[in-house]
Amino acid sequence: MKDPKTYYIKTYGCQMNELDTEVMRGQLERRGMTKVEEEAQADLLIFNTCSIRDLAERKVMGKLGLLGRRKNTDQIIGVTGCMANAKKATLFRKIPYINFVLGTNDYHKLNDVLDDVLATGQKGLGIQNKFSEELDYAGAKRDDKVKAYISIIRGCDKYCTYCVVPYTRGPEVSRSPQDIIHECKILADKGYKEITLLGQNVNSYGKDKPEWNCLFHDLLYQLDNIDGIERIRFMTSHPVDITRNLMEAIRDLPSMCEFIHFPIQAGSSRILKKMHRIYTLEQYLEKVDLLKKIVPNAALGTDIIVGFPTETHEEFMETYNIMKQIEYSVAFLYTYSERKGTPATRFKDTIPDDVKQERLHMLMDLQEGIYKKQRQALVGSTAEVLIEKRSSKDPRFLKGRTRCWKNTLIEGSDSLIGTLQQVRVNDFTNQTLLCELLHQEASLIS
């Protein structure tokens, strides 16, 4: 095998996978390799995979199957991410032409595994059950120059019965506050304005390291003090660990955006218990009410699974009615799909696929109406927008987001990219607000 000079990485799944890809890119570019935009041009192909739902795995397996029928024998192919952790060495039997498999806890070994493959011609495998703290986040290669993902905790200890994350990402491991602060200061010095703190459950931050005396809200107060960081977001959250202290930090810290991912998953307490979500509907609503009292302008996001085993029509309607009551600003909606190795596989999946799809489309239609109502209410109002980049679909416009995570389009010059601007909302289309600068002279800002 020849030493690879170019690479191509295809990323599937969540923001954590996107950050992991940036970390791997940093390692490869320090090795002297160059990113290419087409997989056919690459000496090294990496598929950074997701295993959270059956559809995600089927997409990857389908892609790898197509690749095998037209494989360039000179290319090195690696599979990384959650699917790598879940399937391990069995991937070599299913896809014999891949060269290495690297799990979510082994990205720091990427160059070592690649060297072994090149030296021996043998297949490489790196799968650990627990995250190693050797990963060089500061060396991540990022394309975005305005906002960045920051990993603060990896893994999950909640063990929801439908979820593979505890098995593919391992137990919770918090990253030291000193390392996080150091990385954020480096990004601030480079001109980054917004950071999004990532973890399978960011609210658990620091609980595995009581000697640090630094829980999630404590970390937020430290990050808010970093000059240059204008906005802080976080995802994802578990409602059980959303505390009053966290709510007060969102209220009191200028950099904290008023958007909180508050996933309910289901509106029935019986189904929530079967999911092992560790809260009842009533407890969830109590926290939502408290949040709205402490942060009245907070926008909420959610995840919802319909068609969980034994979910009745009446229980689905509880979910429907809760969505209607809370009016989430963002909702990620899915049908239940069985994941091998999770406790939910012991439950008889009694919900036909056509019923799951019908329930999903009912929620999608409801949420679409909520989106339209919320955006209509914003017409004529003003908002703070971080200008992120020029629109690729219509280069007349700049793309940005409000503090509550709503997409915006604004006419203006490239000199506005990376700046915070006050805008007026004039109209909307689909889920995007159409805005104008409140002060046209702002376009002269360099």
Side-chain angles (χ1 to χ4, degrees):
M1 289 184 179
K2 66 177 184 179
D3 195 28
K5 303 298 181 185
T6 58
Y7 73 91
Y8 175 92
I9 304 181
K10 173 67 174 176
T11 308
Y12 299 83
C14 66
Q15 293 86 355
M16 185 69 84
N17 272 17
E18 293 178 33
L19 176 57
D20 289 341
T21 289
E22 292 175 344
V23 171
M24 286 191 285
R25 285 186 59 200
Q27 294 181 63
L28 295 175
E29 298 207 0
R30 287 194 296 279
R31 185 187 180 98
M33 296 180 65
T34 303
K35 176 188 173 186
V36 293
E37 299 301 325
E38 300 292 335
E39 62 185 47
Q41 302 170 346
D43 300 325
L44 170 65
L45 294 178
I46 295 178
F47 296 90
N48 193 15
T49 63
C50 175
S51 197
I52 193 73
R53 290 175 184 85
D54 180 60
L55 178 61
E57 281 198 3
R58 284 192 280 116
K59 282 183 178 179
V60 176
M61 296 302 287
K63 175 64 178 175
L64 289 169
L66 287 172
L67 196 64
R69 288 197 283 272
R70 54 181 176 81
K71 182 180 180 325
N72 176 351
T73 55
D74 291 331
Q75 286 181 315
I76 300 169
I77 301 176
V79 176
T80 66
C82 291
M83 198 173 90
N85 261 78
K87 296 187 179 298
K88 302 180 175 65
T90 63
L91 279 171
F92 294 128
R93 296 199 294 273
K94 294 181 178 180
I95 316 166
Y97 45 83
I98 62 175
N99 301 101
F100 66 88
V101 172
L102 202 62
T104 57
N105 297 323
D106 293 84
Y107 292 123
H108 61 291
K109 296 179 181 175
L110 175 59
N111 278 319
D112 291 338
V113 169
L114 188 53
D115 286 339
D116 287 344
V117 170
L118 291 169
T120 67
Q122 302 299 309
K123 297 185 183 300
L125 178 66
I127 303 289
Q128 290 189 84
N129 292 326
K130 187 172 181 180
F131 177 64
S132 166
E133 298 181 40
E134 299 173 49
L135 205 54
D136 178 19
Y137 288 107
K141 178 66 176 178
R142 308 174 191 268
D143 287 329
D144 197 310
K145 302 302 181 186
V146 175
K147 58 190 194 306
Y149 294 131
I150 306 290
S151 175
I152 67 166
I153 184 172
R154 296 175 72 103
C156 185
D157 293 345
K158 289 294 186 284
Y159 288 92
C160 298
T161 57
Y162 54 82
C163 186
V164 297
V165 167
Y167 313 101
T168 60
R169 290 274 179 180
E172 291 173 351
V173 179
S174 296
R175 187 179 171 203
S176 79
Q178 292 81 12
D179 285 351
I180 297 168
I181 292 166
H182 176 67
E183 183 182 355
C184 291
K185 286 182 176 178
I186 291 174
L187 292 170
D189 289 342
K190 291 180 178 179
Y192 284 82
K193 301 298 181 185
E194 178 179 298
I195 57 173
T196 299
L197 309 177
L198 296 183
Q200 275 67 46
N201 180 17
V202 291
N203 312 85
S204 285
Y205 178 80
K207 291 183 178 181
D208 59 319
K209 298 287 187 180
E211 65 272 19
W212 289 351
N213 195 29
C214 183
L215 297 178
F216 185 43
H217 62 275
D218 300 311
L219 177 66
L220 295 178
Y221 279 90
Q222 295 182 63
L223 296 179
D224 181 71
N225 287 326
I226 298 175
D227 290 337
I229 300 298
E230 303 284 351
R231 286 182 172 182
I232 300 175
R233 303 186 187 276
F234 61 87
M235 63 174 50
T236 185
S237 306
H238 193 290
V240 163
D241 297 313
I242 295 179
T243 64
R244 173 183 281 272
N245 285 333
L246 174 57
M247 298 176 192
E248 291 174 348
I250 295 167
R251 178 194 65 193
D252 296 339
L253 299 178
S255 62
M256 289 301 303
C257 291
E258 297 83 8
F259 174 81
I260 302 95
H261 196 53
F262 217 126
I264 189 172
Q265 299 296 359
S268 158
S269 288
R270 186 186 75 85
I271 293 297
L272 288 172
K273 183 176 182 179
K274 203 170 181 67
M275 289 178 165
H276 193 243
R277 289 295 287 172
I278 332 176
Y279 54 81
T280 64
L281 174 62
E282 292 72 25
Q283 290 168 333
Y284 178 90
L285 293 176
E286 285 175 7
K287 288 206 173 183
V288 169
D289 288 343
L290 180 61
L291 175 64
K292 289 186 174 181
K293 288 176 183 175
I294 294 174
V295 192
N297 58 334
L300 301 184
T302 196
D303 298 335
I304 290 178
I305 298 171
V306 299
F308 193 76
T310 75
E311 179 190 67
T312 65
H313 176 73
E314 290 74 20
E315 287 169 331
F316 162 73
M317 289 306 298
E318 289 185 73
T319 300
Y320 184 95
N321 290 328
I322 287 301
M323 279 190 65
K324 193 172 182 180
Q325 173 185 331
I326 293 178
E327 296 190 337
Y328 294 102
S329 291
V330 177
F332 300 100
L333 310 173
Y334 308 96
T335 57
Y336 169 74
S337 64
E338 183 179 289
R339 307 309 296 128
K340 185 178 179 180
T342 62
T345 58
R346 299 195 298 266
F347 307 149
K348 187 176 179 181
D349 190 356
T350 57
I351 316 299
D353 285 342
D354 60 336
V355 174
K356 291 179 184 177
Q357 289 297 323
E358 179 184 2
R359 293 175 183 178
L360 177 65
H361 286 287
M362 283 182 66
L363 293 191
M364 291 170 67
D365 289 344
L366 172 62
Q367 189 61 34
E368 190 60 36
I370 292 170
Y371 286 149
K372 185 174 181 180
K373 174 184 174 182
Q374 290 175 343
R375 282 155 179 75
Q376 183 66 61
L378 290 171
V379 173
S381 68
T382 61
E384 177 194 272
V385 170
L386 175 62
I387 310 296
E388 298 176 355
K389 59 185 176 181
R390 187 158 294 282
S391 170
S392 58
K393 293 182 179 178
D394 191 340
R396 293 176 302 164
F397 294 101
L398 297 167
K399 295 180 70 174
R401 281 193 190 270
T402 68
R403 291 177 65 88
C404 289
W405 220 46
K406 290 183 170 57
N407 288 313
T408 63
L409 289 176
I410 306 156
E411 286 193 66
S413 69
D414 285 352
S415 62
L416 293 172
I417 295 173
T419 67
L420 293 169
Q421 298 293 331
Q422 291 294 319
V423 304
R424 178 182 293 108
V425 181
N426 291 333
D427 203 352
F428 64 95
T429 175
N430 297 323
Q431 295 184 34
T432 302
L433 302 176
L434 305 178
C435 307
E436 66 173 339
L437 295 168
L438 275 181
H439 306 291
Q440 289 300 318
E441 64 269 22
S443 64
L444 300 176
I445 295 176
S446 59

